[in-house]
Amino acid sequence: MVPRIKKLPRSFYNRPTLKVAADLIGKYIVFESPAGTMSARIVEVEAYIGQGDPACHAARGKTKRNAVMFGKPGFTYVYFIYGMYYCLNFVTEREGFPAAVLLRAAEPVEGIDLMKKHSPRQKEHRLLAGPGKFCKTFGLTRTHNGLDLTGHTIYLEDRQGEPGNVVTTPRIGINHGAELKWRFLDADSSAVSK
DNA sequence: TGAATGATGCGCT
DNA sequence: GCGCATCATTCAT
């Protein structure tokens, strides 16, 4: 008997990053925070792939900040940006190959009251509509960097849902590698970033 | 409704 | 110092 809800195993992340990114649309992210459990349906991601990708943080080699991208797949990479926001990534591909998928937007599912405590001014379908907003609303910070996605704090689930109307576009907010269509989103969702 | 801007910290040159 | 995988607000049309 195959369970209807299945936690994504490390083998899911240990694949070409573009495949992982495309497959993430319609999956669910679960965060078991001390204040309660939150979950959401992923509707927008971007791929950052290796030292040949000029927009990837690892493009200029390994540093203390991006070290987790060089490690095993299936871990979180959380970084601080613009003085006030965090962004959450999922590390992909084999150990030694730095790549990750940035989580840009999701639709709130469970723990919505808790999400609203973190972001009181947002309309419900906009609570997670952007990478900075996602981390603010989930309460994620640098302390959540390098966590094992096959563990029990943050993990992804396949709930056998439809991915929706998946399209690809150039990535947002970058200056180099902007011609690559490495952003994946469900165009029918009202929770994608603007 | 779209463009410009300020907030703000940190990693890298 | 500069630039950054952002976002909310302000200002102009």
Side-chain angles (χ1 to χ4, degrees):
Chain A
M1 188 69 174
V2 178
R4 193 177 68 84
I5 296 179
K6 183 162 165 269
K7 185 183 295 190
L8 297 182
R10 193 168 319 283
S11 57
F12 176 89
Y13 306 96
N14 190 16
R15 296 186 298 147
T17 304
L18 293 176
K19 289 195 186 311
V20 176
D23 288 348
L24 280 173
I25 305 299
K27 298 295 191 293
Y28 289 76
I29 179 168
V30 182
F31 175 35
E32 297 187 2
S33 86
T37 299
M38 289 171 278
S39 68
R41 177 179 176 271
I42 296 170
V43 298
E44 181 179 345
V45 300
E46 286 177 1
Y48 289 87
I49 310 176
Q51 299 188 264
D53 175 5
C56 182
H57 285 175
R60 287 174 207 177
K62 186 175 179 177
T63 66
K64 185 180 290 185
R65 178 207 203 192
N66 64 28
V68 66
M69 289 180 89
F70 287 79
K72 288 197 289 188
F75 283 78
T76 60
Y77 170 45
V78 179
Y79 65 87
F80 186 63
I81 192 75
Y82 297 124
M84 56 180 75
Y85 296 106
Y86 294 94
C87 294
L88 171 66
N89 300 248
F90 310 121
V91 176
T92 60
E93 314 231 14
R94 69 177 192 277
E95 185 167 8
F97 187 94
V101 176
L102 168 69
L103 175 55
R104 288 192 57 89
E107 297 170 351
V109 177
E110 298 159 281
I112 293 173
D113 288 344
L114 183 53
M115 295 181 198
K116 286 179 177 171
K117 284 187 183 175
H118 292 141
S119 301
R121 310 187 61 149
Q122 299 293 339
K123 300 281 188 188
E124 184 166 316
H125 71 292
R126 300 263 93 199
L127 276 165
L128 306 172
K133 289 165 74 177
F134 181 90
C135 286
K136 175 178 167 56
T137 298
F138 259 47
L140 297 173
T141 69
R142 70 181 81 252
T143 66
H144 305 284
N145 185 47
L147 294 182
D148 188 346
L149 289 164
T150 66
H152 297 279
T153 304
I154 302 177
Y155 50 90
L156 303 188
E157 286 180 343
D158 184 352
R159 299 187 180 181
Q160 312 290 316
E162 292 297 320
N165 180 20
V166 181
V167 301
T168 62
T169 78
R171 293 173 291 182
I172 304 294
I174 58 170
N175 291 309
H176 302 292
E179 73 284 359
L180 299 168
K181 295 174 108 175
W182 286 358
R183 173 175 178 240
F184 298 77
L185 61 115
D186 176 359
D188 291 340
S189 174
S190 64
V192 297
S193 68
K194 291 236 211 3

